[in-house]
Amino acid sequence: MSTAAPSIDTEETDTKKIRVLAAGFIGNILEWYDFAVYGFFAPTIGKLFFPSEDPRVSLIAAFGAFAAGFLMRPVGAVLFGHIGDRIGRKKALTLSVMMMAIPTMLVGILPTHAQIGMYAAIMMVLLRMIQGISVGGEYTSSFVFLVEHAPAGRRAFFGSWSMIGATCGILLGSAVGALINSFTTSEQLLAWGWRIPFLAGVLVAFVGYFIRHGIPDQPIAEELSEQEVYSPLKQAWGSHKTELLQSAGLNMMNAVTFYTVFIYLSTWLVEEVGETRAEALDINTISMAALTVMVPFAAMLADKLGRKPLLLIGAAGVTLFSYPLLWLMHHHHYQMILAGQIGFAVLVACFAGAIPATITELFKRGVRVSAASVSYNIPFAIFGGTAPMVAAWLVHSTGNPLSIAWYLSGIAAISFCITLTIKETRHNSLEE
């Protein structure tokens, strides 16, 4: 009796799966690495490119340039949606990673205000806008690609790797930023140290381009009539109006919860709870790491139980537990704060693990990237980009540090109701 060796076909299939996962994963690392690095060095960038006698004005201006990128995300959604639907997913993915890499490198070599005056600020804003266009196409193009190439019964798991890439990018950016801060003096950081993380991002981009250049792709435009080739978004609105609105409604909670919990609450812990910035960042990093681990498990449950149960659990959880979790975090006690933020991470993971597959399965193939991109990026531009600002305004205007819980709960309740209207998509055919 002989033992059969693994077939070459099986090995090739496994290699293809790994390459597909890596292709969707790597681009999101770069996108969110840059996001984290810019946020980490915003005070330094403010001094160098938006100088002012008041450091707070410089910081606000630096974050204003950051916000400009958010406003361009819907533009990127339309552009890369069209490319993905009419030329191919592969072209959208390779172009988006390079469109992020080149501006990231240019930020690293950009002359400062002291060297070229106001042109430095203008160029910084323009580069952030170009990156915003890239971000608008990257995340959705990658998860559509991942879900379409997933084996039967594993679409949510494959789609979740786009989110895993995003969280890994944030963790990598924070780690690199902390490392640079540790090994440079204040003068060195201001002179050249801040540039290193942006220039290092080119290495990630090179790896991403190399992986994506060899991924499989299907011809898209050849399958369509001449009229359809030029109007994927118009076609999506005509045939998927309800699904577009449903997807946008789901992403309202997705955007508000993520940017409030993992971006704003670090500042909230310092200003309202009295934690040191180092402790707040440590708690946030641990919570992000926990989210990274939990997302694929939530996705596997979505593959087994269905998308809708996980979406409903996440939305109901944020609706009901935002106040208790924030109350837990509003204590000058490290373990209580960490428990509260990890509680939020569990609820975000339920939503994040299911939503890439859900959005992909809502739309037919010929308009899928355009529909997913627009319905994802518009709520993220409107609600995600403004979430920290709204949270800060609520705390200031009410005088109640826990008032942001009502905003989180209200948005989540809306997304919960919208989820109820969505049919389970787990068994939807992606070829129809």
Side-chain angles (χ1 to χ4, degrees):
M1 179 185 291
S2 62
T3 303
S7 69
I8 295 175
D9 287 346
T10 301
E11 291 177 1
E12 289 179 351
T13 300
D14 290 341
T15 302
K16 181 181 176 182
K17 288 177 184 177
I18 293 170
R19 187 150 196 166
V20 164
L21 286 173
F25 176 76
I26 193 72
N28 287 292
I29 290 181
L30 174 64
E31 302 281 0
W32 293 90
Y33 167 85
D34 176 82
F35 169 93
V37 164
Y38 189 94
F40 197 97
F41 291 102
T44 303
I45 291 170
K47 292 176 185 177
L48 293 172
F49 291 89
F50 309 95
S52 171
E53 294 180 2
D54 186 345
R56 289 174 296 182
V57 173
S58 295
L59 183 60
I60 290 169
F63 277 118
F66 179 76
F70 266 91
L71 296 176
M72 298 305 292
R73 286 177 68 155
V75 177
V78 174
L79 174 63
F80 283 96
H82 187 96
I83 293 170
D85 283 328
R86 296 303 179 254
I87 301 176
R89 305 340 186 198
K90 177 179 174 179
K91 182 65 71 175
L93 289 170
T94 52
L95 183 59
S96 70
V97 76
M98 295 311 297
M99 198 169 175
M100 189 70 179
I102 293 171
T104 299
M105 181 190 69
L106 291 177
V107 167
I109 62 174
L110 195 62
T112 64
H113 187 277
Q115 295 169 307
I116 60 173
M118 64 177 290
Y119 294 108
I122 293 171
M123 291 173 69
M124 177 63 78
V125 172
L126 288 174
L127 289 173
R128 296 305 303 180
M129 291 173 72
I130 294 170
Q131 289 174 320
I133 293 173
S134 173
V135 172
E138 167 62 37
Y139 185 72
T140 44
S141 296
S142 66
F143 75 60
V144 168
F145 171 82
L146 286 166
V147 173
E148 287 182 338
H149 284 82
R154 301 191 71 191
R155 290 181 196 162
F157 176 74
F158 268 59
S160 73
W161 279 82
S162 54
M163 181 64 180
I164 297 169
T167 54
C168 285
I170 293 174
L171 290 171
L172 178 63
S174 296
V176 171
L179 191 66
I180 296 297
N181 252 4
S182 299
F183 288 96
T184 58
T185 64
S186 298
E187 292 76 18
Q188 290 172 334
L189 185 68
L190 203 62
W192 51 264
W194 69 273
R195 297 182 183 275
I196 294 174
F198 291 98
L199 295 173
V202 176
L203 297 175
V204 181
F206 176 78
V207 174
Y209 180 82
F210 175 76
I211 291 173
R212 288 182 168 182
H213 188 67
I215 59 177
D217 199 15
Q218 301 93 344
I220 303 296
E222 294 174 8
E223 303 171 1
L224 305 166
S225 68
E226 185 176 345
Q227 182 180 2
E228 289 175 327
V229 166
Y230 297 104
S231 56
L233 195 55
K234 182 179 178 182
Q235 188 185 355
W237 183 250
S239 58
H240 288 294
K241 189 179 298 182
T242 299
E243 290 84 356
L244 282 165
L245 295 174
Q246 288 173 327
S247 176
L250 290 179
N251 282 302
M252 285 170 57
M253 191 205 92
N254 199 16
V256 170
T257 306
F258 185 87
Y259 283 100
T260 300
V261 172
F262 296 110
I263 304 301
Y264 172 72
L265 286 188
S266 294
T267 300
W268 180 81
L269 287 172
V270 175
E271 295 181 352
E272 304 299 331
V273 184
E275 296 296 302
T276 65
R277 184 158 296 280
E279 287 174 332
L281 290 173
D282 282 347
I283 290 168
N284 195 62
T285 300
I286 294 169
S287 301
M288 286 289 296
L291 175 66
T292 305
V293 172
M294 288 185 286
V295 163
F297 286 101
M300 286 189 280
L301 284 175
D303 278 327
K304 186 173 183 179
L305 305 176
R307 316 326 184 196
K308 199 167 178 178
L310 272 293
L311 294 172
L312 289 172
I313 290 170
V318 174
T319 302
L320 297 173
F321 296 114
S322 285
Y323 191 90
L325 290 173
L326 278 171
W327 175 86
L328 196 64
M329 295 179 70
H330 195 249
H331 287 80
H332 194 52
H333 190 281
Y334 191 94
Q335 283 75 22
M336 291 178 73
I337 296 169
L338 182 60
Q341 193 159 13
I342 287 181
F344 273 118
V346 171
L347 299 175
V348 171
C350 290
F351 221 76
I355 209 165
T358 304
I359 295 174
T360 304
E361 291 161 353
L362 281 174
F363 305 107
K364 67 181 182 181
R365 180 174 175 77
V367 301
R368 190 173 289 146
V369 182
S370 295
S373 296
V374 170
S375 61
Y376 179 90
N377 281 290
I378 288 178
F380 264 79
I382 296 171
F383 294 97
T386 61
M389 180 179 67
V390 171
W393 175 82
L394 283 170
V395 172
H396 176 74
S397 61
T398 64
N400 179 6
L402 301 181
S403 59
I404 53 179
W406 308 122
Y407 184 53
L408 288 169
S409 293
I411 293 292
I414 293 171
S415 290
F416 179 85
C417 294
I418 291 170
T419 304
L420 291 174
T421 70
I422 297 175
K423 296 179 180 179
E424 176 58 53
T425 62
R426 179 164 54 128
H427 299 297
N428 286 12
S429 170
L430 293 181
E431 299 306 318
E432 293 179 358

